């Protein structure tokens, strides 16, 4: 029923509208059932602990020898005779808590589980569960220490303090002798003082008398009282009433706080307030519901007013112009079609695995394992495009390590290359054996790109690489990886894998939302994508070609990306966003000033051959790559780095630690496999696109889809013939001191370093223009030594930057050098 509440000067219109949302009711019921299930589990756990501990108190000694001797598996050891009323599980639980860990102080866990069940199931707290958790945690450990001291010193039963208490007391006694008990007691005293806030009791001081009830009743009703009755007290009878605080503030009664004399023990607040003559608020039956448009409060803080004003302006702009469309600059852009990809007649290929081959391999696997005394209770096969996965269930008692050590023997028995044993299939109780098929099936790029799984993927940067061994299309999000490290020997499919990754991104992303920075020291592998310059490529402002093939410009490009990263983080900070997704969404909603902000496309850096860069540029390349890998994920810069030689001097620890996703094609040795994947197996691959993808703790075997060079050319031709931007996406010019000494022509020599003359003489004397030489001989830091080399180059004493090699010394004699120094 609607009611109207009136006062002498104000009329409040309220509405009592019941919430009839059925979905919220269903969610509430489901949440209640889940709470009851969890509460029941906690209650049963407490009962199990109580029965197990109580039984162990009387029969624990009889069960101890059996429990210690038995297997850890409760199911396999179910025939072991125990006297614990909770069975073998209870005996093991009691043995773990009482003998192995904290002893009889573990009993405190029982009330913790009981009170937690009461709180979760019925939302009632007899005692604060959070507070009790800290108490139980401390007293279980502290009680174990105290009991362990008694057990260690007085030769009492070991279960009194458990293994933890006995072990710690043994070490403390060796360290400080009998003083250990004082340390333990002191720790308990400190906890009690801090946790229970123990303080010396202060003397009672006189407190002014409280005003009488008649005086309190005569307090006037004035607006904006500081100490007023809560609005909840006014509407206790009907909790559904909602009153606008702004209106209610206008007729709140001011009631000063009641002050109690020091000799009064207890005060009935309800009885005291009842004596006050607070005017009643008449209630009328009729009410009309009205909507009130929120206005800016002139007394509100400046920050709140500015935020509300900005949001109002953004809403007005959206209503007038709509959401910002980053693709509006290329409104007629057409995504590449599937017709550009070649269609292979896979059905007519005679490359499928026959039943005879399956049966023969199964028999050989069983015979080989039985020869080494390994019985199999079950074996199943899953046929993939390159390999067939045989999942076996060994008989009870067989060690997994015994099977994994037979990889070479199985390979010999099956007369097949690429046999790889998976110790345990993820999420299954089976052991996997991968055997290469005699006749391989090709995975065409059209079947992968055109699959429903890829077309309907809503990842930020969706990439598809091929098929798994179970013939499923593999689609991943590069933004979640967030960087990818690729390796593989020559001719094993690494370049095709890079083309496949770039092609899948081009098929799903608009040029306004994605840019590539392509580094190709080999100068031929990524040249196919040159035609995408005005659509997808990014480069330095003075670059003649968008694809970087000159090793000397790689350092400048990497440092430019680092600067782009720093600039993007500054924009995120000003916008109050944590990542590029939040920032772009805020910009699309027109909540950012376009004069200070702009839409950020994702940037994918692709390096085709890292080994060549590390050979010629060394630390100048490693440092920016590591910095980008550490920080660039949040602002949408992602790295794909490939190399033919996965050795430790190429894939250094700094680089490897920041690339959680690793992809390996066939490599030549187990050492290379462990370098790239931290595991073996890449040396057992069969080549031609067969690869292992490591993402965290999971290693997936894939067959890379085949995308041919003419197909990539047609895709790039299709996009390049469309209207594009005026130029490639321009990266910021790197700072002069970050270019690694490549562009130093305009350096001011009037402000030379104080060590300039000494460094010049050192370089000429040794005829070696090396930064490390200046560091070592003059005992300077790397940055200062680098600046000295740049100044020496500007003075014409040493030559230009040449990667990791020392610079040429242009001055051959000290006499010539002294003449140059006098002229400077």
């Amino acid at each position: 029923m609607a009611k109207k509440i009136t006062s002498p000067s104000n009329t409040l219109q309220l509405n009592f509208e019941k919430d009839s949302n059925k979905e919220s009711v269903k969610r509430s019921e489901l949440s209640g059932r889940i709470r009851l299930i969890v509460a029941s589990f906690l209650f049963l756990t407490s009962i199990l602990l109580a029965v197990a501990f109580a039984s162990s108190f009387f029969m624990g000694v009889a069960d101890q020898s059996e429990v210690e001797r038995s297997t850890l598996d409760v199911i396999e050891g179910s025939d072991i005779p125990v006297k614990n009323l909770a069975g073998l599980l209870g005996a093991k639980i009691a043995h773990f808590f009482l003998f192995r860990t904290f002893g009889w102080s573990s009993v405190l866990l029982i009330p913790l589980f009981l009170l937690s069940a009461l709180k979760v199931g019925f939302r009632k707290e007899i005692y604060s569960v959070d507070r009790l958790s800290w108490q139980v945690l401390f007293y279980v450990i502290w009680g174990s220490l105290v009991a362990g001291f008694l057990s260690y010193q007085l030769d009492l039963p070991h279960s009194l303090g458990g293994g933890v208490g006995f072990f710690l007391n043994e070490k403390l006694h060796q360290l400080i002798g009998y003083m250990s008990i004082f340390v333990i007691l002191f720790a308990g005293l400190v906890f009690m003082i801090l946790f229970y806030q123990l303080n010396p009791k202060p003397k009672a001081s006189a407190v002014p008398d409280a005003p009488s009830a008649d005086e309190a009743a005569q307090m006037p009703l004035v607006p904006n009282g500081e100490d007023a009755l809560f609005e909840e007290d006014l509407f206790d009878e009907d909790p559904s009433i909602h009153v606008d605080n702004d209106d209610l503030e206008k007729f709140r009664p001011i009631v000063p706080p009641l002050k109690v004399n020091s000799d009064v023990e207890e005060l009935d607040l309800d009885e005291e307030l009842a004596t006050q003559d607070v005017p009643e608020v008449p209630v009328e039956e009729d009410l009309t519901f009205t909507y009130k448009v929120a206005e800016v409060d002139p007394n509100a803080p400046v920050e709140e007013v500015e935020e509300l004003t900005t949001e109002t302006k953004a809403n007005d702009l959206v209503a007038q112009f709509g959401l910002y469309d980053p693709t509006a600059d290329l409104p007629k852009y057409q995504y590449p079609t599937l017709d550009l990809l070649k269609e292979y007649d896979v059905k007519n290929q005679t490359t499928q695995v026959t039943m005879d081959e399956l049966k023969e391999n199964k028999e050989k696997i069983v015979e080989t394992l039985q020869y080494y005394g390994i019985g199999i209770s079950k074996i199943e096969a899953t046929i993939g495009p390159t390999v067939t996965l045989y999942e076996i269930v060994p008989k009870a008692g067989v060690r997994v390590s015994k099977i994994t050590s037979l990889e070479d023997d199985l390979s010999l028995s099956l007369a097949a290359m690429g046999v790889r044993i998976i110790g345990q299939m993820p999420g299954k109780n089976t052991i996997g054996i991968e055997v290469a098929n005699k006749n391989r099936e090709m995975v065409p790029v059209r079947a992968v790109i055109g699959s429903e799984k890829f077309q309907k993927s809503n990842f930020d940067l969706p990439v598809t690489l091929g098929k798994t061994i179970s013939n499923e299309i593999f689609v991943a999000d590069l933004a979640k990886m967030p960087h990818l490290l690729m390796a593989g020997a020559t001719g094993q499919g690494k370049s095709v894998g890079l083309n496949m990754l770039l092609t899948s991104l081009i098929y799903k992303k608009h040029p306004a939302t994605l840019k590539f920075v392509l580094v190709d020291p080999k100068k031929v592998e990524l040249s196919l994508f040159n035609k995408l310059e005005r659509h997808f490529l990014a480069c330095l402002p003075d670059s003649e070609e968008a694809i970087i093939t000159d090793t000397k410009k790689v350092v400048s490009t990497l440092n430019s990306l680092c600067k782009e990263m720093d600039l993007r983080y500054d924009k995120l900070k000003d916008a109050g966003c944590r990542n590029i997704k939040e920032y772009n969404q805020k910009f699309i909603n027109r909540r950012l000033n376009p004069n200070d902000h702009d839409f950020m496309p994702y940037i994918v850096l692709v390096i085709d051959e890292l080994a060549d860069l590390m050979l010629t540029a060394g630390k100048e390349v490693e440092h920016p790559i590591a910095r980008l890998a550490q920080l660039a994920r949040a602002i949408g810069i992602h790295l794909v780095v490939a190399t033919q030689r996965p050795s430790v001097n190429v894939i250094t620890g700094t680089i490897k630690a920041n690339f959680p996703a690793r992809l390996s094609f066939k490599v030549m040795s187990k050492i290379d496999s462990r370098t790239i994947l931290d595991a073996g197996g890449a040396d057992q691959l069969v080549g031609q696109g067969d690869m292992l993808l490591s993402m965290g703790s999971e290693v997936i075997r894939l067959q890379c889809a085949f995308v041919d060079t003419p197909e990539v050319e047609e895709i790039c031709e299709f996009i390049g013939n469309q209207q594009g931007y005026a130029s490639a996406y321009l990266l910021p010019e790197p700072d002069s001191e970050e270019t690694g000494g490549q562009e130093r022509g305009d350096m001011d020599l009037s402000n030379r370093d104080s060590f300039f003359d000494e460094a010049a003489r050192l370089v000429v004397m040794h005829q070696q223009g090396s930064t490390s030489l200046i560091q070592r001989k003059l005992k300077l830091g790397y940055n200062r030594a680098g600046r000295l080399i740049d100044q020496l180059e500007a003075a014409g004493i040493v030559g230009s930057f040449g990667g990791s090699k020392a610079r040429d010394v242009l001055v051959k004699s000290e006499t010539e050098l002294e003449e140059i120094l006098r002229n400077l």
Side-chain angles (χ1 to χ4, degrees), residues 500-783:
M500 187 63 207
L501 185 144
L502 294 173
T503 301
S504 59
L505 288 173
I506 291 171
Y507 263 87
K508 287 289 288 184
K509 303 298 290 186
H510 191 278
T513 62
L514 175 64
K515 302 296 177 183
F516 295 118
V517 177
L518 304 181
V519 178
D520 184 15
K522 292 187 288 187
K523 302 182 181 181
V524 293
E525 294 295 343
L526 299 178
S527 59
L528 299 173
F529 299 93
N530 248 328
K531 297 179 181 179
L532 304 181
E533 178 177 351
R534 294 184 299 110
H535 294 84
F536 283 101
L537 300 189
C539 61
L540 292 175
D542 59 345
S543 297
E544 297 179 0
E545 295 182 354
I547 297 179
I548 304 160
T549 57
D550 187 358
T551 307
K552 295 180 180 180
K553 293 185 178 181
V554 174
V555 177
S556 297
T557 304
L558 293 176
N559 287 320
S560 176
L561 278 174
C562 289
K563 188 174 182 179
E564 172 77 10
M565 176 183 69
D566 295 333
L567 293 174
R568 288 191 172 197
Y569 268 118
D570 291 338
K571 292 180 181 179
L572 257 65
K573 179 182 177 182
D574 295 339
C577 301
R578 298 183 60 186
N579 54 56
I580 186 175
K581 202 168 184 179
E582 294 179 6
Y583 176 90
N584 283 340
Q585 189 59 48
K586 210 169 186 179
F587 191 85
I588 290 174
N589 293 334
R590 301 187 184 275
R591 299 185 63 184
L592 296 176
N593 189 345
N595 295 326
D596 302 322
H597 299 275
D598 52 10
F599 184 84
M600 293 184 188
Y602 285 92
I603 298 178
V604 177
L605 168 64
V606 179
I607 300 177
D608 185 38
E609 185 48 68
L610 179 64
D612 183 68
L613 298 181
M614 294 295 290
L615 180 65
T616 57
K619 293 292 182 181
E620 288 83 1
V621 170
E622 180 183 2
H623 179 267
I625 287 178
R627 188 163 183 261
L628 288 170
Q630 288 170 352
L631 301 175
R633 172 185 182 178
I635 45 83
I637 299 178
H638 303 275
L639 281 65
V640 179
V641 179
T643 181
Q644 292 181 3
R645 190 179 46 158
S647 56
V648 293
N649 59 339
V650 175
I651 304 176
T652 62
T654 305
I655 293 178
K656 187 176 178 181
N658 297 293
F659 282 79
R662 288 92 174 266
L663 178 64
S664 178
F665 294 87
K666 182 177 175 59
V667 293
M668 294 295 103
S669 66
K670 293 183 182 294
I671 297 176
D672 291 344
S673 177
R674 294 189 180 278
T675 301
I676 181 67
L677 295 176
D678 289 331
D683 56 311
Q684 299 292 331
L685 299 175
V686 295
Q688 297 182 353
D690 189 18
M691 57 186 175
L692 292 176
L693 175 63
S694 172
M695 299 176 64
S697 59
E698 185 179 5
V699 179
I700 307 171
R701 190 166 186 175
L702 303 171
Q703 172 60 44
C704 183
F706 177 69
V707 52
D708 203 0
T709 301
E711 294 176 290
V712 178
E713 289 178 344
E714 286 192 31
I715 295 171
C716 296
E717 187 78 25
F718 176 81
I719 296 176
N721 290 335
Q722 300 184 44
Q723 179 186 359
Y725 297 99
S727 64
Y729 184 84
L730 297 181
L731 299 173
E733 189 72 35
D735 296 336
S736 58
E737 61 183 26
E738 290 183 348
T739 59
Q742 299 177 46
E743 300 171 359
R744 307 288 184 176
D746 300 330
M747 181 168 292
D748 184 13
L749 293 178
S750 61
N751 188 21
R752 299 190 300 276
D753 193 284
S754 58
F755 280 91
F756 178 83
D757 293 355
E758 191 172 351
R761 295 186 180 96
L762 181 67
V763 167
V764 172
M765 181 176 64
H766 289 272
Q767 286 295 300
Q768 181 182 354
S770 169
T771 304
S772 60
L773 175 67
I774 296 176
Q775 278 186 272
R776 187 172 64 256
K777 295 295 184 181
L778 301 183
K779 298 181 180 180
L780 301 177
Y782 177 80
N783 292 333

Side-chain angles (χ1 to χ4, degrees), residues 180 201 272 359 482 665:
S180 59
K201 187 175 182 180
E272 182 71 18
K359 185 177 180 181
F665 294 87

Side-chain angles (χ1 to χ4, degrees), residues 37 56 92 155 161-162 250 389 460 470 522 661 689 805 811:
I37 294 173
S56 181
K92 286 182 175 291
D155 198 22
K250 298 178 182 178
L389 173 65
D460 295 327
S470 57
K522 292 187 288 187
K805 299 179 181 179
V811 179

